[in-house]
Amino acid sequence: MKLWAGRFQKALDDKTNDFNSSISFDCRMANEDILGSMAHAAMLQKQGIISEDDGKAIQDGLASIAADLAGGKLQIDMTAEDIHTFVEGELTARIGDAGKRLHTGRSRNDQVALDIRLYLRNRIPALQEQITDLIDVLCDKAEQYADAIMPGYTHLQRAQPITFGHHLMAYAEMLLRDRARLADALTRTNVSPLGSGALASTTYDLDREAVASTLRMNGVTNNSLDGVSDRDFAVELAAALSLIMVHLSRFSEEIILWCSWEFKFIELDDAFSTGSSIMPQKKNPDIAELVRGKSGRVFGDLMTLLTVLKGLPLAYNKDMQEDKEAIFDALDTVTMCLTAFTPMIDTMTVLTENMRKAAAGGFINATDAADYLVGKGLPFRDAYKATGELVALCIRKGLTLETLPLEEYQAVCDLFDNDVFEAISLERCAAMRRVYGGPAPENVRAQVARVRALI
Ligand code: ARG
């Protein structure tokens, strides 16, 4: 029977009941729903709104429901309308009339808002930890490959020499920001809307602060209409999750490129690769591709939330029931992606010789050759042009800047001397880029130390 049975002559149509029901997805908030109800009931009792006996019966009843759910002795009834209805119904079945007093001064509208906030609050720390684990792996790898020369790219064209450690630490920086965004979202999520009622609060003398503090929340919402209508916290979280996926997806794209035969900068561990059903030679980076693909789901979830909210008049509207599947899916997806992604990175083999070989082609030390001339007093623009001529000459002759004879250099510009070859050595080019934020091995080590101290 529905909670609103008094007003109605007929039950909800069967198929429509499935359509209206949210139990299939809000059942995962059972614990939060029970804890929220316990805090609410304790406050009702303390305020003298319900009796001590009723208060005690409610606490014991809710505790036994939680224990039976955890122990598998109680199954959630999937024909119930939602988790709130199920818990209250089960409570009343167990303790009788006292159970019917639980909902005094409360609505499912503030109740569901509380439950989602509690649920997300409880999930965010594990996600922060997963991100920290990935940052940790990146620090280890970056330290190990602080000296490994690789070509840095712009437009996917070899550009300037960097170190592999530096490249990895770029992702560590993105992930540090992601972690900070989650922490920020958490502060605004962990606020109690209970007491907002259906929309206009209540005439009972509720102690909203007490409920919030029992639930270890940062405080209470300040306006009852906003309290039941606000899902900004879910949007913020979905946006933070989307950015995590942007970062994992870009990283995945590089992993996919790097383990192709065209690059062969890395090889993924067998435990994180897949084969082909027909081509015996294949070893595919499916995990990275799936992470890249799943970013689309998470962006979709963010778009769902924004779209559900944008046209809603105050206060609660049933549309808002659509918030849960979207934010749960985003959370689950990012959690799964990180679970597979971090050990994939941790176990990959880095083929430094291939990186070094790629760095040797593509004239990535041309800027350094120009800078050499600047060191001899030539204005940068003229140095740039002279070096450009040298590169063109090399391409015509099938040579590199390292193998072009000094006479050829001097024919283009007489400021060149034998020491140019040392100036354009890739190891030196990377080591000299030690301005703060640059790829020099010593910088990479310092950055690793700084990031480790932060995490
Ligand atoms: N299942 C609902 C939701 O997720 C709970 C709130 C229902 N409130 C209402 N007035 N119908 O939003």
Side-chain angles (χ1 to χ4, degrees):
M1 206 177 32
K2 290 281 183 259
L3 293 170
W4 54 80
R7 164 82 169 75
F8 286 67
Q9 311 289 323
K10 270 196 207 170
L12 187 64
D13 171 75
D14 266 355
K15 289 203 176 76
T16 307
N17 188 52
D18 293 342
F19 178 69
N20 187 55
S21 163
S22 54
I23 189 94
S24 63
F25 45 88
D26 64 20
C27 58
R28 66 160 85 190
M29 308 191 302
N31 273 323
E32 287 75 12
D33 193 75
I34 291 170
L35 286 176
S37 287
M38 283 175 155
H40 177 67
M43 179 276 294
L44 290 180
Q45 182 192 325
K46 200 150 160 272
Q47 295 298 98
I49 300 168
I50 61 172
S51 71
E52 220 161 280
D53 287 351
D54 284 345
K56 174 144 189 3
I58 291 173
Q59 298 301 336
D60 293 349
L62 288 171
S64 74
I65 293 174
D68 289 352
L69 282 175
K73 270 197 249 159
L74 173 65
Q75 298 311 321
I76 293 175
D77 171 10
M78 286 298 162
T79 65
E81 188 185 345
D82 53 33
I83 190 65
H84 329 294
T85 315
F86 170 74
V87 172
E88 194 185 321
E90 181 64 26
L91 181 69
T92 304
R94 291 184 182 207
I95 66 169
D97 275 359
K100 300 190 206 155
R101 297 192 200 277
L102 168 63
H103 212 52
T104 312
R106 189 176 69 170
S107 158
R108 277 185 302 160
N109 296 354
D110 55 354
Q111 185 179 1
V112 70
L114 175 76
D115 289 4
I116 312 169
R117 284 171 181 270
L118 286 175
Y119 180 82
L120 299 183
R121 171 196 82 175
N122 292 341
R123 287 280 307 262
I124 290 172
L127 201 62
Q128 288 170 307
E129 214 158 287
Q130 279 191 298
I131 291 179
T132 306
D133 288 347
L134 178 51
I135 296 174
D136 203 31
V137 163
L138 291 176
C139 284
D140 290 351
K141 281 254 179 292
E143 190 170 52
Q144 194 179 349
Y145 297 105
D147 302 281
I149 301 293
M150 77 178 273
Y153 294 81
T154 63
H155 313 271
L156 203 54
Q157 303 284 318
R158 292 175 213 171
Q160 289 182 339
I162 59 170
T163 48
F164 190 54
H166 188 60
H167 198 114
L168 293 178
M169 288 311 282
Y171 286 103
E173 289 297 319
M174 297 173 222
L175 292 161
L176 279 173
R177 292 196 297 276
D178 290 329
R179 228 171 55 129
R181 266 185 286 272
L182 289 176
D184 195 40
L186 182 56
T187 52
R188 273 182 295 275
T189 300
N190 198 18
V191 173
S192 173
L194 222 59
S196 300
L199 74 162
S201 79
T202 172
T203 53
Y204 295 99
D205 180 25
L206 302 186
D207 185 351
R208 298 189 57 206
E209 290 286 352
V211 174
S213 102
T214 305
L215 293 169
R216 293 178 296 105
M217 301 185 96
N218 303 329
V220 300
T221 56
N222 301 305
N223 178 296
S224 65
L225 294 173
D226 183 47
V228 291
S229 309
D230 171 24
R231 295 292 185 273
D232 292 5
F233 58 91
V235 174
E236 274 187 60
L237 178 58
L241 294 171
S242 294
L243 274 172
I244 294 172
M245 290 308 292
V246 168
H247 298 149
L248 293 184
S249 184
R250 293 180 80 166
F251 203 168
S252 293
E253 170 67 15
E254 299 208 289
I255 295 290
I256 293 159
L257 285 172
W258 290 342
C259 58
S260 70
W261 281 107
E262 282 69 13
F263 280 77
K264 262 298 168 250
F265 286 0
I266 61 160
E267 180 157 354
L268 294 178
D269 192 80
D270 284 0
F272 296 94
S273 317
T274 51
S276 155
S277 61
I278 172 172
M279 298 168 281
Q281 83 284 12
K282 292 277 281 196
K283 182 167 174 186
N284 294 328
D286 283 26
I287 307 309
E289 289 172 22
L290 264 180
V291 169
R292 186 177 60 183
K294 280 182 191 291
S295 62
R297 287 177 76 120
V298 179
F299 307 159
D301 292 328
L302 170 62
M303 200 49 62
T304 297
L305 287 166
L306 289 169
T307 311
V308 162
L309 291 173
K310 87 173 184 75
L312 294 186
L314 297 183
Y316 178 85
N317 300 271
K318 187 79 166 201
D319 316 43
M320 292 164 80
Q321 181 163 290
E322 292 291 314
D323 60 358
K324 281 171 280 300
E325 282 165 296
I327 193 65
F328 294 166
D329 180 70
L331 258 176
D332 294 348
T333 303
V334 174
T335 301
M336 260 193 330
C337 287
L338 282 165
T339 302
F341 194 86
T342 301
M344 177 186 77
I345 298 297
D346 198 19
T347 55
M348 72 186 182
T349 304
V350 180
L351 304 170
T352 51
E353 268 170 40
N354 291 347
M355 287 183 185
R356 183 67 181 72
K357 229 181 282 159
F363 307 99
I364 66 177
N365 46 5
T367 314
D368 301 86
D371 286 339
Y372 168 90
L373 292 177
V374 171
K376 304 257 162 170
L378 203 64
F380 178 74
R381 233 355 111 206
D382 297 335
Y384 172 97
K385 187 164 168 283
T387 311
E389 285 171 27
L390 286 174
V391 169
L393 187 64
C394 285
I395 291 170
R396 275 201 307 277
K397 301 198 159 198
L399 294 172
T400 65
L401 288 173
E402 285 90 335
T403 51
L404 187 72
L406 182 61
E407 306 82 73
E408 304 271 14
Y409 273 93
Q410 288 170 334
V412 170
C413 176
D414 57 13
L415 290 172
F416 280 115
D417 220 326
N418 224 350
D419 56 350
V420 67
F421 295 106
E422 203 220 311
I424 60 166
S425 102
L426 294 180
E427 281 68 22
R428 191 171 178 281
C429 295
M432 291 301 284
R433 290 180 157 76
R434 52 180 175 229
V435 69
Y436 184 77
E442 63 183 278
N443 282 29
V444 174
R445 291 189 188 97
Q447 193 190 357
V448 167
R450 185 180 64 79
V451 172
R452 278 197 182 132
L454 282 173
I455 61 170

